[in-house]
Amino acid sequence: MKNKIQTKSNKKNQELGQTKNSAKLVLFIFGIGPIIGIAIFLYSKGFFNPPNL
């Protein structure tokens, strides 16, 4: 009886770990993605070029 309960909880922990990892991946993509996009946009507009005096 105890063994059955343990395997069930172990399976739930594995699923929880997978959802945590996918949530971290989504947050990473939505966090870093816009930053990279803004950097590319600014670079294309010449924002990072030194001003010509």
Side-chain angles (χ1 to χ4, degrees):
M1 192 79 174
K2 261 190 177 178
N3 197 11
K4 218 176 199 181
I5 293 166
Q6 205 171 5
T7 54
K8 241 186 187 179
S9 65
N10 197 13
K11 212 175 200 183
K12 271 189 180 174
N13 284 344
Q14 278 183 328
E15 285 172 20
L16 196 82
Q18 278 185 331
T19 53
K20 268 188 179 178
N21 285 345
S22 61
K24 281 181 187 176
L25 185 70
V26 167
L27 284 172
F28 179 77
I29 290 168
F30 282 99
I32 301 298
I35 294 169
I36 293 170
I38 290 165
I40 292 168
F41 173 77
L42 290 174
Y43 185 78
S44 71
K45 297 290 179 190
F47 183 79
F48 296 109
N49 296 340
N52 296 327
L53 296 173

